[in-house]
Amino acid sequence: MAATVVALLVLLGGTTLPSASGDPADAADPAAVARDGDDVGERRAFSVNRLMSMNDPTRNRGQVARQLRTLIKHTPRGATISIMSFYMASSITWPALKAAYQRGVDIRAIFYGGPEGKPLSGVSSGGVKLTQLIREGRSRGRRGSWVVWTTNAARGKAGKTTMHAKVWQFSKVGTTRKVTMIGSYNNSDAADARAYSAMVTVALPRVYDEVQKVFLQSRKDRKPPGNPQRRASGDGWDLYFMPSLPITKENDPVMDRLRAIPAAPETRMVVSMYSWQGRRGAWIARKLAAMVRAGSKLRVVVGPDVDRSVVRTVRRAGAKMEDGCWKTGNRKRPYAYTHDKEMTATWVKDGETHYAAWLGSDDWGNGGGGSQSDQVTIGLYNEWAFTRLNKLLAPQIAHEPDRLSPCHPLPSLRRSAGPPSLLE
């Protein structure tokens, strides 16, 4: 599997993307409209509250990478950037990350290193460059930065597992401390060119601290005692961390999420999912189908690795199905597809309307892209997150026709190559 991953991402890498305009929906946020300048005064004036962006390969390619670049450029000397990512190969973010290290920002990174836990140049060209940069710095006596290449999953066990999380943290950005970005975006030019992927950024100190606990545990690159699944929650948010060994209907965070939502006509849900399969996928599909039969409204964007049985289960219940993988007509990039692992919901309980949005790296399955691998998912319980994510998902929902035909969006992707979520 590791060889397949390397070969495929060598094929996809090396694309330099043109710049594109930012999303005007973010214009109300100071962090979204600030310039990408790199002077000390501008970093001191910069602040972050909350942001949410979507890489749209058809209309707004590279949006998440550019937002990351802005945050990196406004990280001051002496601050720390922590990265937990399946891979890093973006020509947009790498120059900013290199410049940050050179001006005195500490960078700590955890990347997927395959079965042998080694740097994978074909998968993570930026990660390899970062490793070399930090190695050179350490040879001159600089400390505080490091890179770990995990052996498959950092907190899991050997087998078809992977360090699949997509998290960036900043101890300080401008004047704002403890900033965390979480979602489904793989940091690469290839992903920018093909995959819809969303990320949310929050300046919540407890979120930062809880993610850091798991980040530092992941650095050890070994399974902790017991079930490594972890959860945390606070005012208006919650987090869960995989792997879960085992995963059951009783301890599945997604099932807990659905149990907390009334199955009633006032309930409206949207799901965009790259991969949804296996035993876990089946029990989530059955639960959603039961909610739809009870009157809830459900719309599903069906990604390339959603099992046909899942589609049948929720469609027969009355859910609206949307095509999450389609031909573009472009010879170099023949497909656009959802790489999202997102859900929104609104419901009424005790006369009060509730809103929620969930973003992260957890595909709804048992295997390498799901419960057996390192994942981070955040839930935000407010109207802003619900409305913003629905707006970002709208282009996928608006796409026609919805044929839901089998889709192999990457040039050499076949079922025999392993879970597609490990490849993109």
Side-chain angles (χ1 to χ4, degrees):
M1 182 183 297
T4 302
V5 171
V6 172
L8 181 55
L9 289 170
V10 166
L11 177 65
L12 295 181
T15 305
T16 300
L17 302 178
S19 61
S21 59
D23 189 338
D26 269 340
D29 195 299
V33 297
R35 301 188 312 277
D36 275 353
D38 197 28
D39 63 281
V40 174
E42 189 173 331
R43 280 195 292 276
R44 288 174 177 168
F46 189 87
S47 64
V48 181
N49 180 15
R50 59 189 186 188
L51 296 164
M52 192 186 296
S53 58
M54 174 80 73
N55 181 69
D56 181 335
T58 63
R59 301 189 307 175
N60 201 9
R61 192 187 312 168
Q63 171 65 4
V64 177
R66 291 192 302 276
Q67 197 165 89
L68 267 172
R69 180 178 63 189
T70 299
L71 297 178
I72 294 167
K73 285 190 171 184
H74 289 86
T75 302
R77 176 183 177 88
T80 300
I81 298 174
S82 302
I83 306 166
M84 188 157 49
S85 183
F86 174 35
Y87 57 82
M88 187 176 75
S90 168
S91 62
I92 296 175
T93 57
W94 164 245
L97 202 62
K98 179 181 179 181
Y101 181 79
Q102 291 173 337
R103 71 170 173 267
V105 176
D106 287 330
I107 300 173
R108 308 177 304 175
I110 301 172
F111 300 121
Y112 170 70
E116 298 181 359
K118 295 181 178 179
L120 301 177
S121 58
V123 179
S124 247
S125 58
V128 171
K129 293 176 187 176
L130 179 64
T131 301
Q132 182 61 31
L133 185 68
I134 291 174
R135 183 181 294 125
E136 292 171 356
R138 294 180 74 86
S139 71
R140 298 190 297 269
R142 179 171 173 180
R143 298 293 182 265
S145 297
W146 44 261
V147 177
V148 169
W149 295 85
T150 69
T151 305
N152 293 314
R155 299 169 58 249
K157 56 186 179 181
K160 294 182 179 179
T161 61
T162 183
M163 214 305 299
H164 194 246
K166 297 96 168 59
V167 177
W168 293 65
Q169 292 193 285
F170 305 81
S171 65
K172 189 176 184 183
V173 180
T175 61
T176 308
R177 296 185 181 276
K178 297 191 174 183
V179 175
T180 301
M181 178 186 279
I182 297 173
S184 59
Y185 172 67
N186 282 324
N187 182 242
S188 79
D189 294 344
D192 287 351
R194 293 170 173 84
Y196 286 90
S197 303
M199 298 286 277
V200 65
T201 302
V202 294
L204 297 172
R206 274 205 58 210
V207 168
Y208 182 95
D209 292 344
E210 294 294 340
V211 174
Q212 276 289 301
K213 290 178 186 177
V214 172
F215 178 79
L216 294 175
Q217 189 179 67
S218 299
R219 181 189 182 183
K220 300 175 183 178
D221 194 21
R222 63 175 181 266
K223 180 184 174 299
N227 190 338
Q229 185 191 132
R230 299 288 183 268
R231 303 199 202 189
S233 61
D235 184 16
W237 61 269
D238 58 26
L239 291 160
Y240 71 83
F241 306 87
M242 299 293 194
S244 183
L245 304 168
I247 187 74
T248 67
K249 284 188 287 187
E250 288 68 35
N251 73 7
D252 188 342
V254 176
M255 290 295 287
D256 286 346
R257 174 195 311 174
L258 297 178
R259 293 184 191 106
I261 301 173
E266 297 86 1
T267 297
R268 292 181 288 116
M269 299 173 288
V270 174
V271 172
S272 182
M273 193 62 54
Y274 175 83
S275 180
W276 184 353
Q277 32 67 32
R279 293 180 298 106
R280 183 186 181 210
W283 69 55
I284 294 173
R286 289 193 296 268
K287 174 61 175 175
L288 283 167
M291 296 175 72
V292 172
R293 286 192 294 270
S296 302
K297 307 298 186 298
L298 171 64
R299 190 179 293 267
V300 178
V301 181
V302 179
D305 194 39
V306 176
D307 194 85
R308 298 298 98 184
S309 64
V310 168
V311 173
R312 288 194 298 270
T313 297
V314 293
R315 176 189 268 167
R316 288 172 180 172
K320 173 65 175 175
M321 313 303 287
E322 307 284 352
D323 204 335
C325 184
W326 59 90
K327 293 182 178 179
T328 63
N330 185 312
R331 292 182 61 185
K332 292 184 178 180
R333 297 180 296 275
Y335 286 95
Y337 60 94
T338 183
H339 186 253
D340 288 323
K341 302 93 167 57
E342 276 99 62
M343 177 176 171
T344 67
T346 182
W347 65 94
V348 177
K349 189 171 184 178
D350 298 328
E352 182 179 356
T353 301
H354 297 260
Y355 301 92
W358 295 268
L359 302 90
S361 60
D362 178 30
D363 289 299
W364 289 353
N366 305 92
S371 65
Q372 295 183 41
S373 295
D374 295 281
Q375 316 286 5
V376 182
T377 293
I378 187 169
L380 296 171
Y381 300 89
N382 59 66
E383 189 172 2
W384 170 81
F386 169 84
T387 302
R388 180 69 177 140
L389 185 52
N390 278 330
K391 183 173 183 178
L392 292 174
L393 291 171
Q396 299 176 46
I397 292 170
H399 170 73
E400 298 286 351
D402 295 320
R403 294 194 178 98
L404 304 183
S405 56
C407 170
H408 302 293
L410 303 181
S412 61
L413 179 60
R414 295 294 183 270
R415 289 284 178 173
S416 61
S421 53
L422 302 189
L423 305 178
E424 257 298 288

